[in-house]
């Protein structure tokens, strides 16, 4: 990623009030981009609110299911680059509201791409889906970008559908090697289990762990032996930004699907992750098995990111230990009353500089801002 590339760029971000969208919007703004966000109102609590990101971006509170509103918002802003992150992101919630999940994740994606088609300023679009878009056969090796789309549950299959939809729109309306004159280039991005400070999402491992720590309760774990490709949110976002840059500058050769997953040593079981978080938190933090009936979730899922490494030059910078250290430092700092925006920007700056994140103990020696 070239930091200077983003200075002055007009960037439209759907889902900017969410966890990943907030980190991305703040990062782009810090690089000098002019950002317009389009999303539902943030939950409470949220990184978006605590970091006052509405002071950094032109924030529109709206719904991607509103096709006309989305088209107006894109057309009025006339962005150079679009990141589509708006989604219903939770597996368990998709069991409760399958139609709402499909309406947002599939039709919302179609609405966004139609809005882009109606705006001739856009040069590059990155549609963010999920590692769960693949037809998961629970095998030991990582999925490559040409593997079959699928999904057991409504959330996972909605992400597979979004990938199929994006591929159809790309072939039909966007620039391809056969039709380079169409102008706008479209790529999709698939990341693993993204973790980081400022995530209070329901039914997600790290937020649930941190909430239990704050209440001084044992963490209840459903699938301790499940293996996921854990990575800090900045890893995936750096991949999305690099991909958008290459789409913008180098063209249709990068208008494809891309995996952004961690190195093999970051593929850990849930029990490993929770145990390490307990050790980093201290204060007697512990976990216990929830052996009640649970809806289906994948037990083994890995990504092969060789293509992104070879063709984009993208590679993870932080180990899983770095990621967990950054999360505990962020959360402890938040509880200590440190400025959330400053903490978040400091972790972005460390990542950009190739530095390891500071542990909570080092931050605690400084006076809260």
């Amino acid at each position: 990623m070239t930091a200077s590339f983003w200075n002055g760029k007009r960037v439209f971000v759907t889902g900017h009030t969410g966890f990943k969208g907030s980190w991305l919007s703040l990062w782009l703004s810090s690089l000098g981009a002019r950002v317009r966000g389009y999303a539902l109102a943030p939950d409470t609590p949220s990184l978006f609110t605590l970091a006052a990101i509405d002071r950094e971006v032109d924030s529109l509170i709206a719904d991607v299911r509103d096709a006309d509103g989305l088209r107006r918002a894109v057309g009025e802003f006339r962005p150079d680059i679009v990141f589509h992150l708006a989604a219903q992101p939770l597996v368990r919630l998709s069991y409760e509201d399958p139609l709402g999940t499909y309406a947002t994740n599939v039709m919302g994606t179609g609405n966004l791409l139609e809005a882009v088609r109606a705006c001739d300023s856009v040069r590059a679009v990155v549609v963010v889906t999920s590692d769960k878009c693949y037809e998961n056969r629970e095998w030991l090796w990582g999925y490559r970008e040409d593997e079959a789309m699928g999904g057991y549950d409504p959330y996972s299959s909605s992400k597979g559908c979004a990938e199929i939809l994006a591929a159809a729109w790309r072939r039909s309306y966007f620039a391809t090697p056969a039709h380079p004159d169409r102008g706008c280039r479209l790529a999709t991005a698939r990341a693993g289990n993204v973790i980081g400070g400022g995530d209070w999402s329901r039914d997600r491992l790290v937020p649930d762990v941190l909430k239990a720590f704050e209440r001084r309760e044992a963490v209840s774990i459903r699938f301790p032996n499940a293996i996921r490709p854990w990575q800090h949110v900045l890893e995936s976002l750096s991949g999305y930004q690099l991909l958008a840059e290459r789409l913008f500058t180098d063209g249709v050769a990068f208008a494809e699907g891309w995996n952004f997953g961690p190195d093999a040593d970051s593929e850990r079981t849930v029990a490993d992750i929770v145990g390490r978080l307990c050790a980093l938190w201290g204060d007697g933090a512990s976990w216990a098995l929830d052996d009640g009936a649970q809806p289906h979730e994948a037990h083994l899922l890995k990504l092969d990111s060789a293509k992104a490494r070879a063709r984009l030059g993208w590679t993870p910078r932080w180990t899983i230990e770095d990621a967990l250290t950054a999360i505990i430092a962020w959360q402890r700092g938040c509880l200590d009353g440190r400025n959330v925006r400053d903490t978040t920007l400091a972790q972005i700056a460390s990542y950009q500089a190739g530095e390891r994140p500071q542990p909570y103990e080092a931050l605690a020696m400084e006076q809260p801002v």
Side-chain angles (χ1 to χ4, degrees), residues 22 24 63 121 154 167 181 194 246 279 315 336 362:
S22 292
L24 177 60
D63 195 324
S121 67
D181 57 324
V194 173
R246 298 301 293 274
T315 186
D336 288 347

Side-chain angles (χ1 to χ4, degrees), residues 202-233:
R202 166 188 165 191
D203 290 328
R204 280 171 52 86
L205 178 68
V206 173
D208 286 350
V209 168
L210 296 177
K211 290 171 191 172
F213 288 172
E214 291 178 33
R215 296 191 299 263
R216 296 182 177 274
E217 298 174 356
V219 182
S220 180
I221 300 302
R222 298 186 295 268
F223 300 107
N225 297 318
I227 297 174
R228 298 286 187 271
W230 311 97
Q231 62 190 73
H232 194 273
V233 62

